[in-house]
Amino acid sequence: MATTITRLLHHLALLLLVVQFADAVFVPKTKNYAVLKPQSWGTTYIVHANFLAKPPHFGSLKEWYRSMVTTHASSTRAASSSSILYTYDTVMHGFAVQLTGDEARLMSSAPGVIGVYEDRVLYPQTTRSPGFMGLEPGNGAWKQTDFGDGVIIGFIDGGIWPESASFNDSGLGPVRSGWRGKCVDAHGFDANLCNNKLVGAKAFSAAADAVAGRKSRGVPSPRDKDGHGTHVASTAAGAEVRNASLYAFSQGTARGMAPKARIAMYKACSENGCMHADIVAAVDAAVKDGVDIISISLGRSFPIAFHDDVLAVALFGAERKGVFVVVAGGNAGPQAARVVNSAPWMTTVGAATVDRLFPAHLTLGNGVVLAGQSLYTMHAKGTPMIPLVSTDGINSWTPDTVMGKIVVCMFGASDADGILLQNAGGAGIVDVDSYEWSRDGSALYSFTLPGLTLSYTAGEKLRAYMVSVPYPVASLSFGCETVISRKNRAPVVAGFSSRGPNPAAPELLKPDVVAPGVNILAAWSGDAPLAGVFVPDGRRANYNIISGTSMACPHVAGIAALIKKKHPSWTPAMVRSALMTTAGTVDNRGGHILDNGHTDTLGRTDNVRVATPLVAGAGHVHPDLALDPGLVYDAGERDYVDFLCALNYTAEQMRRFVPDFVKCTGTLAGGPAGLNYPSFVVAFDSRTDVVRTLTRTVTKVSEEAEVYTATVVAPEHVKVTVTPTTLEFKEHMETRSYSVEFRNEAGWHREAGWDFGQIIWANGKHKVRSPVAFQWKN
Ligand SMILES: *[C@@H]1O[C@H](CO)[C@@H](O)[C@H](O)[C@H]1NC(C)=O
Ligand SMILES: *[C@@H]1O[C@H](CO)[C@@H](O)[C@H](O)[C@H]1NC(C)=O
Ligand SMILES: *[C@@H]1O[C@H](CO)[C@@H](O)[C@H](O)[C@H]1NC(C)=O
């Protein structure tokens, strides 16, 4: 159990597991997290106000907010110190303040208040990846877009390490005029560290400080203390850096997906996690400053309805201002229905592998060699044959039990555990991937002592050997190299990547796409130990290799920057459509992309199963094709309002998105599934529900006149009819609508479950593919 907690902590802090603290299954017990417990006198609440309802006698919104606090929170510290932590005025209107539960209830019925959200903690969830994605200097997407030059990506994350070579601005012109962002001067962060690459850096910590019961002194610093923010920013938009590596691993030229895009960091996380009130302030500032794209590798662990999710509400405001929003879908796979950040105004990203292995071997006393992987960094030497021991966890790691032995952790172990084991005298560590969320053994650690990671299946062989002999022994050996090869089947969707169906709106397919998110090399903070901030790890490095949907998200942010550069006038929905309809479902061996998270009834990983659209969305992003999608499915505020109306949100709930909302007018034909989205979900509810008809509108974005013909791939017992079957376009930006009739011919004999198909509009030049997921409810 203790190991479990350590491992979980490690994933929270470093592997960027996307977890909302209040929902976490385990309660971490380290003192680092003690500050998270709200003080008894109050919790932070975000009070969402309808600015249209401000009584005229208040001169300003702030004056009105202050009066609300005095009226409804008179007994508290909130009133006495008049401590409004933030006011929000761009993506939504309102303020953050500390209240008691009773005061919060009172506040929620105050005139003009449309929502009161209790503040929550969210946790954060490449040399090779650009090449793997088909991005090469001198041709294709990079050439067509000048490496995304000038597009500004805002990151809501844990800060930045401005000294990193990945943020060198050599060769970049000044940031565009009209940019309102800047770098703050703070303790430990000199505004002069910013340049034409890092064009903004601000920090938001009022809510975190309030919960911790501390007062922030001076301007909060955007400096990155744990590495995550630096890693994601350089993944999306890092400059070219030759000979980057983590020790000897993944050596090569590191650069982001859009090497000339500009970075603005909005720090909203600290070692204690990221508070909603700080995150919303960061989003508000990013949109006000004028970013083109927002990248958020943070999320809850359990999905909730959009109107109760203040991040979804704030990001709706960002989308209304034309900002493309890309988010991590979460690391709660492979269980179904755990995808988060799943609103239609966000582009939701899952994680997949790249074609790179870090081989290491465990040779058992009986001669059997188990293949694993490792980022063991110290030296290439392995171990001789020494005793193997399986322990209950770190509590039993005393010199008596582990001295000179290889310790097998059947329930997983991180590099942070490795440091503790090494301190107890252990000679080696074997991390057996045995959690549902990562059975595939693909997410690796940079152990400080000889150690490797085995898949669940290899772990079973090890377990069988250990019970078969009285004194099990083994040796560890390391390739200490990186193997890039077409033989390494990739991409494969990671076991931890969160999957659909989408609990917040089952008739909207999520995630949208997958991108590289396993063992990604990117820049690191000079202040951050490699194994995380919770263990005594003296190692520092300029680059680090980590995994998570946190890493997949900025890959898509960078590709979106390339698209924005080529098509500055496209709406966020058009950019997402381009990413989705050109995404691939075929891997580097020509087979269907597989799912590493599928577990059979015995709980064993079986990566023979293909990644369905519930796992991979439309597929793996393809930057070259996304620049020229042919047709796009556009949508905007009006469409999202109709979508939320189709989810039967009340007028009160709707006003959280649109303050002047009166009532639902347009009805979305086909319910929420009728949103003009590049994917389809078709739910057959009962034997009487035999026909579902959905319509879509496509916009031609290619210059030349074109004719498209529909092709359908449908499962057995579903007849799909597209009308019309050809679409002719002449003008640029011309739109055409089509309808699709899905006829259930299976009747009620069909078992409950899912089937999949696709609808493709194509001609010789373009292929516009939409996945279709069929749900049989019966
Ligand atoms: C930035 O890169 C240029 C060109 O490679 C190099 O000359 C310069 O020293 C770098 N600057 C910093 C601060 O590392
Ligand atoms: C690349 O980096 C490695 C490790 O940091 C170093 O040993 C090597 O000399 C470097 N190679 C070049 C060409 O700079
Ligand atoms: C919304 O309400 C209508 C009418 O009661 C119902 O038919 C429909 O199934 C509901 N939709 C959702 C998504 O709950």
Side-chain angles (χ1 to χ4, degrees):
M1 191 59 179
T3 311
T4 305
I5 289 170
T6 309
R7 184 173 176 101
L8 182 75
L9 269 182
H10 176 84
H11 277 259
L12 289 174
L14 284 182
L15 266 200
L16 327 160
L17 186 71
V18 185
V19 162
Q20 182 196 14
F21 197 75
D23 298 332
V25 180
F26 304 107
V27 180
K29 294 192 181 89
T30 68
K31 79 175 172 24
N32 295 289
Y33 278 106
V35 293
L36 289 177
K37 198 169 167 292
Q39 310 291 315
S40 54
W41 45 263
T43 303
T44 304
Y45 288 85
I46 296 171
V47 180
H48 190 170
N50 187 343
F51 70 101
L52 299 168
K54 176 179 77 66
H57 60 274
F58 291 111
S60 70
L61 287 168
K62 279 186 188 169
E63 210 179 290
W64 182 37
Y65 300 157
R66 274 197 297 271
S67 128
M68 280 192 213
V69 172
T70 336
T71 314
H72 301 287
S74 52
S75 66
T76 69
R77 188 184 168 112
S80 61
S81 57
S82 66
S83 60
I84 287 184
L85 300 172
Y86 293 108
T87 57
Y88 309 117
D89 61 12
T90 303
V91 294
M92 58 185 274
H93 286 83
F95 56 97
V97 66
Q98 293 222 303
L99 301 172
T100 63
D102 285 343
E103 289 166 342
R105 271 184 292 282
L106 214 57
M107 189 71 89
S108 63
S109 52
V113 170
I114 47 183
V116 173
Y117 315 83
E118 184 178 338
D119 202 7
R120 291 291 179 92
V121 178
L122 304 193
Y123 282 96
Q125 304 250 350
T126 148
T127 52
R128 180 62 187 152
S129 42
F132 178 68
M133 311 266 299
L135 289 170
E136 301 290 354
N139 61 49
W142 275 348
K143 188 172 176 202
Q144 285 183 56
T145 64
D146 191 15
F147 301 87
D149 192 7
V151 178
I152 302 170
I153 309 177
F155 297 87
I156 313 300
D157 213 291
I160 196 145
W161 188 257
E163 293 85 357
S164 171
S166 288
F167 308 131
N168 187 327
D169 70 347
S170 150
L172 293 182
V175 65
R176 67 165 176 252
S177 64
W179 166 243
R180 290 176 294 277
K182 62 169 190 154
C183 290
V184 295
D185 238 328
H187 180 66
F189 195 99
D190 184 338
N192 294 323
L193 290 167
C194 287
N195 56 24
N196 290 329
K197 164 60 78 180
L198 180 59
V199 299
K202 297 179 177 175
F204 303 84
S205 65
D209 291 340
V211 172
R214 66 175 177 241
K215 275 227 159 31
S216 55
R217 288 179 298 274
V219 179
S221 169
R223 185 167 285 281
D224 180 2
K225 298 286 187 187
D226 74 7
H228 185 264
T230 299
H231 201 276
V232 300
S234 63
T235 298
E240 177 177 315
V241 178
R242 290 176 201 277
N243 199 26
S245 64
L246 171 62
Y247 299 90
F249 296 110
S250 288
Q251 204 147 36
T253 300
R255 35 169 121 64
M257 292 282 109
K260 290 189 180 176
R262 313 306 166 89
I263 293 167
M265 175 58 66
Y266 298 86
K267 179 176 177 175
C269 305
S270 65
E271 68 277 10
N272 302 323
C274 328
M275 304 300 296
H276 264 146
D278 293 328
I279 295 170
V280 174
V283 171
D284 215 46
V287 172
K288 205 178 303 178
D289 287 348
V291 300
D292 299 303
I293 293 166
I294 288 180
S295 179
I296 305 191
S297 290
L298 312 169
R300 323 172 65 93
S301 63
F302 286 94
I304 58 166
F306 303 133
H307 61 85
D308 283 331
D309 181 352
V310 69
L311 181 57
V313 171
L315 293 177
F316 185 86
E319 207 278 349
R320 287 176 92 184
K321 307 258 177 192
V323 176
F324 180 79
V325 175
V326 53
V327 288
N331 297 358
Q335 296 101 314
R338 292 289 296 276
V339 66
V340 295
N341 293 330
S342 61
W345 49 91
M346 310 173 187
T347 296
T348 313
V349 187
T353 62
V354 296
D355 56 349
R356 180 169 57 192
L357 292 179
F358 304 90
H361 296 95
L362 185 70
T363 304
L364 307 181
N366 62 4
V368 170
V369 180
L370 300 177
Q373 295 191 77
S374 178
L375 300 173
Y376 168 53
T377 51
M378 293 299 119
H379 46 73
K381 274 225 305 277
T383 68
M385 280 284 172
I386 50 178
L388 270 175
V389 59
S390 185
T391 66
D392 295 335
I394 54 172
N395 292 338
S396 57
W397 289 354
T398 61
D400 277 0
T401 53
V402 302
M403 183 66 81
K405 293 175 182 160
I406 295 174
V407 172
V408 176
C409 302
M410 282 295 177
F411 295 98
S414 66
D415 44 0
D417 296 313
I419 288 169
L420 300 175
L421 177 61
Q422 196 172 21
N423 291 344
I429 189 164
V430 176
D431 157 38
V432 179
D433 232 332
S434 52
Y435 284 101
E436 278 189 297
W437 34 270
S438 61
R439 285 175 193 271
D440 51 23
S442 64
L444 307 180
Y445 300 98
S446 52
F447 290 113
T448 52
L449 79 172
L452 53 58
T453 297
L454 295 179
S455 68
Y456 183 86
T457 317
E460 289 291 273
K461 291 182 186 152
L462 173 58
R463 195 196 305 265
Y465 164 69
M466 288 180 74
V467 298
S468 73
V469 292
Y471 302 106
V473 293
S475 69
L476 283 159
S477 57
F478 300 93
C480 208
E481 59 183 340
T482 308
V483 179
I484 298 165
S485 161
R486 287 185 78 83
K487 276 196 251 154
N488 303 331
R489 186 160 196 165
V492 175
V493 180
F496 62 74
S497 187
S498 291
R499 290 111 207 281
N502 179 0
E507 289 181 68
L508 178 73
L509 189 69
K510 289 279 174 169
D512 293 307
V513 288
V514 293
V518 178
N519 303 325
I520 301 302
L521 179 86
W524 200 243
S525 162
D527 267 357
L530 289 180
V533 291
F534 301 110
V535 288
D537 178 7
R539 295 174 300 165
R540 297 290 182 274
N542 296 328
Y543 289 81
N544 197 5
I545 297 176
I546 52 176
S547 305
T549 52
S550 274
M551 281 62 252
C553 172
H555 277 89
V556 174
I559 298 168
L562 302 179
I563 299 174
K564 273 288 209 188
K565 173 72 184 189
K566 186 157 181 216
H567 307 286
S569 65
W570 282 14
T571 64
M574 291 165 82
V575 174
R576 176 180 46 229
S577 178
L579 289 162
M580 288 176 69
T581 63
T582 60
T585 55
V586 172
D587 66 19
N588 62 353
R589 301 246 216 110
H592 198 288
I593 292 175
L594 300 179
D595 174 9
N596 238 351
H598 175 60
T599 49
D600 66 17
T601 47
L602 294 172
R604 275 180 270 256
T605 296
D606 147 23
N607 68 5
V608 182
R609 193 152 116 163
V610 302
T612 69
L614 291 176
V615 173
H620 197 263
V621 284
H622 197 308
D624 275 339
L625 296 178
L627 290 178
D628 180 21
L631 305 176
V632 295
Y633 294 80
D634 196 8
E637 179 184 346
R638 190 67 251 156
D639 305 276
Y640 301 137
V641 165
D642 290 346
F643 169 84
L644 295 172
C645 282
L647 289 175
N648 293 338
Y649 281 19
T650 63
E652 221 171 293
Q653 291 164 344
M654 293 299 296
R655 277 193 280 276
R656 295 184 178 181
F657 301 97
V658 183
D660 56 355
F661 183 84
V662 180
K663 64 184 183 53
C664 292
T665 47
T667 46
L668 209 49
L675 176 68
N676 199 41
Y677 212 73
S679 58
F680 295 79
V681 176
V682 179
F684 289 119
D685 289 318
S686 68
R687 63 203 266 188
T688 53
D689 186 12
V690 290
V691 179
R692 301 272 274 150
T693 305
L694 298 173
T695 58
R696 291 288 192 269
T697 300
V698 283
T699 306
K700 192 201 65 155
V701 289
S702 59
E703 297 291 337
E704 65 275 22
E706 278 192 299
V707 179
Y708 285 84
T709 307
T711 318
V712 168
V713 180
E716 232 186 327
H717 306 307
V718 184
K719 186 159 182 280
V720 179
T721 312
V722 178
T723 316
T725 53
T726 59
L727 296 174
E728 270 191 64
F729 297 87
K730 292 196 180 65
E731 309 298 318
H732 180 55
M733 299 302 284
E734 213 171 349
T735 62
R736 291 275 181 275
S737 295
Y738 66 92
S739 73
V740 197
E741 184 193 87
F742 303 91
R743 185 173 290 274
N744 170 7
E745 297 184 334
W748 57 281
H749 292 290
R750 181 67 174 72
E751 279 172 55
W754 292 83
D755 271 322
F756 305 96
Q758 40 186 302
I759 293 169
I760 301 164
W761 288 98
N763 54 33
K765 188 144 181 267
H766 294 112
K767 185 170 165 187
V768 186
R769 202 186 62 86
S770 290
V772 188
F774 296 90
Q775 184 180 19
W776 305 89
K777 289 186 176 170
N778 284 349

Short mmCIF file of all heavy atoms in Angstrom, two decimals, residues 159-188:
data_model
loop_
_atom_site.label_atom_id
_atom_site.label_comp_id
_atom_site.label_asym_id
_atom_site.label_seq_id
_atom_site.Cartn_x
_atom_site.Cartn_y
_atom_site.Cartn_z
N GLY A 159 4.55 26.93 -14.76
CA GLY A 159 5.65 27.88 -14.89
C GLY A 159 6.67 27.45 -15.93
O GLY A 159 6.47 26.46 -16.64
N ILE A 160 7.74 28.23 -16.01
CA ILE A 160 8.70 28.00 -17.09
C ILE A 160 10.11 28.26 -16.60
O ILE A 160 10.33 29.03 -15.66
CB ILE A 160 8.34 28.88 -18.30
CG1 ILE A 160 9.06 28.41 -19.57
CG2 ILE A 160 8.59 30.37 -18.01
CD1 ILE A 160 8.26 28.56 -20.83
N TRP A 161 11.07 27.59 -17.23
CA TRP A 161 12.50 27.77 -16.95
C TRP A 161 13.07 28.56 -18.12
O TRP A 161 13.42 28.00 -19.15
CB TRP A 161 13.18 26.40 -16.82
CG TRP A 161 14.60 26.50 -16.33
CD1 TRP A 161 15.73 26.38 -17.09
CD2 TRP A 161 15.03 26.72 -14.99
NE1 TRP A 161 16.84 26.52 -16.30
CE2 TRP A 161 16.44 26.73 -15.01
CE3 TRP A 161 14.36 26.92 -13.77
CZ2 TRP A 161 17.19 26.94 -13.85
CZ3 TRP A 161 15.12 27.12 -12.63
CH2 TRP A 161 16.52 27.12 -12.68
N PRO A 162 13.10 29.89 -18.01
CA PRO A 162 13.39 30.71 -19.19
C PRO A 162 14.79 30.50 -19.75
O PRO A 162 15.03 30.75 -20.94
CB PRO A 162 13.20 32.14 -18.68
CG PRO A 162 13.29 32.07 -17.21
CD PRO A 162 12.84 30.70 -16.81
N GLU A 163 15.71 30.00 -18.90
CA GLU A 163 17.10 29.83 -19.35
C GLU A 163 17.27 28.63 -20.29
O GLU A 163 18.34 28.45 -20.87
CB GLU A 163 18.03 29.66 -18.14
CG GLU A 163 18.16 30.88 -17.25
CD GLU A 163 17.05 30.98 -16.20
OE1 GLU A 163 16.15 30.12 -16.20
OE2 GLU A 163 17.09 31.93 -15.39
N SER A 164 16.26 27.79 -20.44
CA SER A 164 16.42 26.60 -21.27
C SER A 164 16.77 26.97 -22.71
O SER A 164 16.21 27.92 -23.28
CB SER A 164 15.13 25.78 -21.28
OG SER A 164 15.22 24.75 -22.24
N ALA A 165 17.68 26.21 -23.30
CA ALA A 165 18.05 26.44 -24.70
C ALA A 165 16.85 26.30 -25.62
O ALA A 165 16.82 26.86 -26.72
CB ALA A 165 19.15 25.46 -25.11
N SER A 166 15.83 25.58 -25.19
CA SER A 166 14.62 25.43 -26.01
C SER A 166 13.87 26.74 -26.18
O SER A 166 13.00 26.85 -27.04
CB SER A 166 13.69 24.38 -25.41
OG SER A 166 14.23 23.10 -25.57
N PHE A 167 14.18 27.72 -25.32
CA PHE A 167 13.48 29.00 -25.42
C PHE A 167 14.39 30.10 -25.96
O PHE A 167 14.14 31.29 -25.79
CB PHE A 167 12.87 29.38 -24.05
CG PHE A 167 12.03 28.29 -23.47
CD1 PHE A 167 12.19 27.87 -22.15
CD2 PHE A 167 11.09 27.61 -24.26
CE1 PHE A 167 11.43 26.82 -21.63
CE2 PHE A 167 10.32 26.57 -23.75
CZ PHE A 167 10.50 26.17 -22.43
N ASN A 168 15.47 29.68 -26.62
CA ASN A 168 16.37 30.61 -27.32
C ASN A 168 15.60 31.25 -28.49
O ASN A 168 14.94 30.55 -29.26
CB ASN A 168 17.58 29.80 -27.82
CG ASN A 168 18.66 30.68 -28.40
OD1 ASN A 168 18.39 31.72 -28.99
ND2 ASN A 168 19.91 30.23 -28.26
N ASP A 169 15.70 32.57 -28.63
CA ASP A 169 14.93 33.24 -29.69
C ASP A 169 15.77 33.59 -30.89
O ASP A 169 15.35 34.39 -31.73
CB ASP A 169 14.23 34.48 -29.13
CG ASP A 169 15.21 35.60 -28.80
OD1 ASP A 169 16.43 35.35 -28.77
OD2 ASP A 169 14.73 36.73 -28.57
N SER A 170 16.94 32.97 -30.98
CA SER A 170 17.82 33.29 -32.11
C SER A 170 17.07 33.10 -33.44
O SER A 170 16.41 32.08 -33.66
CB SER A 170 19.05 32.38 -31.98
OG SER A 170 19.56 32.10 -33.23
N GLY A 171 17.12 34.11 -34.30
CA GLY A 171 16.47 34.02 -35.61
C GLY A 171 15.01 34.42 -35.62
O GLY A 171 14.38 34.42 -36.68
N LEU A 172 14.44 34.76 -34.46
CA LEU A 172 13.03 35.13 -34.43
C LEU A 172 12.88 36.65 -34.43
O LEU A 172 13.60 37.35 -33.72
CB LEU A 172 12.34 34.59 -33.18
CG LEU A 172 12.18 33.08 -33.06
CD1 LEU A 172 11.43 32.73 -31.77
CD2 LEU A 172 11.44 32.53 -34.27
N GLY A 173 11.91 37.14 -35.19
CA GLY A 173 11.58 38.56 -35.18
C GLY A 173 10.79 38.91 -33.94
O GLY A 173 10.45 38.03 -33.14
N PRO A 174 10.46 40.19 -33.78
CA PRO A 174 9.69 40.59 -32.60
C PRO A 174 8.28 40.01 -32.63
O PRO A 174 7.75 39.65 -33.68
CB PRO A 174 9.66 42.12 -32.68
CG PRO A 174 10.02 42.45 -34.08
CD PRO A 174 10.81 41.32 -34.64
N VAL A 175 7.69 39.94 -31.44
CA VAL A 175 6.31 39.47 -31.31
C VAL A 175 5.40 40.48 -32.02
O VAL A 175 5.74 41.66 -32.12
CB VAL A 175 5.95 39.30 -29.83
CG1 VAL A 175 5.97 40.65 -29.09
CG2 VAL A 175 4.60 38.62 -29.64
N ARG A 176 4.26 40.01 -32.52
CA ARG A 176 3.39 40.88 -33.32
C ARG A 176 2.88 42.07 -32.49
O ARG A 176 2.72 41.98 -31.27
CB ARG A 176 2.21 40.08 -33.87
CG ARG A 176 1.26 39.59 -32.79
CD ARG A 176 -0.07 39.12 -33.38
NE ARG A 176 -0.90 38.57 -32.33
CZ ARG A 176 -1.17 37.29 -32.19
NH1 ARG A 176 -0.68 36.40 -33.04
NH2 ARG A 176 -1.93 36.87 -31.21
N SER A 177 2.61 43.15 -33.19
CA SER A 177 2.06 44.31 -32.49
C SER A 177 0.64 43.96 -32.09
O SER A 177 -0.03 43.17 -32.75
CB SER A 177 2.11 45.54 -33.38
OG SER A 177 1.26 45.34 -34.48
N GLY A 178 0.18 44.54 -31.02
CA GLY A 178 -1.15 44.21 -30.53
C GLY A 178 -1.11 43.16 -29.44
O GLY A 178 -2.09 42.96 -28.72
N TRP A 179 0.01 42.48 -29.30
CA TRP A 179 0.16 41.51 -28.21
C TRP A 179 0.22 42.28 -26.89
O TRP A 179 1.01 43.21 -26.74
CB TRP A 179 1.42 40.68 -28.44
CG TRP A 179 1.88 39.89 -27.25
CD1 TRP A 179 3.06 40.02 -26.56
CD2 TRP A 179 1.19 38.80 -26.61
NE1 TRP A 179 3.14 39.11 -25.55
CE2 TRP A 179 2.00 38.34 -25.55
CE3 TRP A 179 -0.04 38.17 -26.83
CZ2 TRP A 179 1.62 37.29 -24.71
CZ3 TRP A 179 -0.42 37.12 -26.00
CH2 TRP A 179 0.41 36.69 -24.97
N ARG A 180 -0.66 41.90 -25.95
CA ARG A 180 -0.75 42.65 -24.71
C ARG A 180 -0.08 41.94 -23.53
O ARG A 180 -0.08 42.43 -22.41
CB ARG A 180 -2.22 42.93 -24.39
CG ARG A 180 -2.87 43.95 -25.34
CD ARG A 180 -4.35 44.16 -25.08
NE ARG A 180 -5.14 42.97 -25.35
CZ ARG A 180 -5.57 42.61 -26.57
NH1 ARG A 180 -5.31 43.37 -27.61
NH2 ARG A 180 -6.26 41.50 -26.74
N GLY A 181 0.47 40.74 -23.80
CA GLY A 181 1.11 40.00 -22.71
C GLY A 181 2.47 40.57 -22.36
O GLY A 181 3.01 41.41 -23.08
N LYS A 182 3.00 40.12 -21.25
CA LYS A 182 4.35 40.55 -20.86
C LYS A 182 4.91 39.56 -19.85
O LYS A 182 4.20 38.68 -19.37
CB LYS A 182 4.30 41.94 -20.27
CG LYS A 182 3.47 42.02 -19.00
CD LYS A 182 3.66 43.34 -18.27
CE LYS A 182 3.01 43.25 -16.91
NZ LYS A 182 3.50 44.09 -15.88
N CYS A 183 6.17 39.74 -19.56
CA CYS A 183 6.77 38.93 -18.51
C CYS A 183 6.84 39.77 -17.25
O CYS A 183 7.27 40.93 -17.30
CB CYS A 183 8.17 38.49 -18.92
SG CYS A 183 8.08 37.28 -20.25
N VAL A 184 6.42 39.19 -16.14
CA VAL A 184 6.46 39.96 -14.90
C VAL A 184 7.86 39.90 -14.31
O VAL A 184 8.64 38.99 -14.58
CB VAL A 184 5.45 39.42 -13.85
CG1 VAL A 184 4.03 39.61 -14.35
CG2 VAL A 184 5.74 37.95 -13.53
N ASP A 185 8.15 40.91 -13.53
CA ASP A 185 9.38 40.94 -12.74
C ASP A 185 9.01 40.42 -11.37
O ASP A 185 8.17 40.99 -10.69
CB ASP A 185 9.83 42.41 -12.61
CG ASP A 185 11.23 42.60 -13.16
OD1 ASP A 185 12.02 41.65 -13.07
OD2 ASP A 185 11.50 43.69 -13.69
N ALA A 186 9.57 39.31 -10.98
CA ALA A 186 9.21 38.74 -9.68
C ALA A 186 10.47 38.22 -9.02
O ALA A 186 11.52 38.12 -9.67
CB ALA A 186 8.20 37.61 -9.87
N HIS A 187 10.35 37.88 -7.76
CA HIS A 187 11.49 37.32 -7.05
C HIS A 187 11.95 36.06 -7.78
O HIS A 187 11.16 35.15 -7.99
CB HIS A 187 11.10 36.99 -5.62
CG HIS A 187 12.23 36.42 -4.84
ND1 HIS A 187 13.37 37.13 -4.52
CD2 HIS A 187 12.42 35.17 -4.35
CE1 HIS A 187 14.19 36.36 -3.85
NE2 HIS A 187 13.65 35.16 -3.73
N GLY A 188 13.19 36.01 -8.21
CA GLY A 188 13.70 34.83 -8.89
C GLY A 188 13.30 34.75 -10.35
O GLY A 188 13.53 33.73 -11.01
#
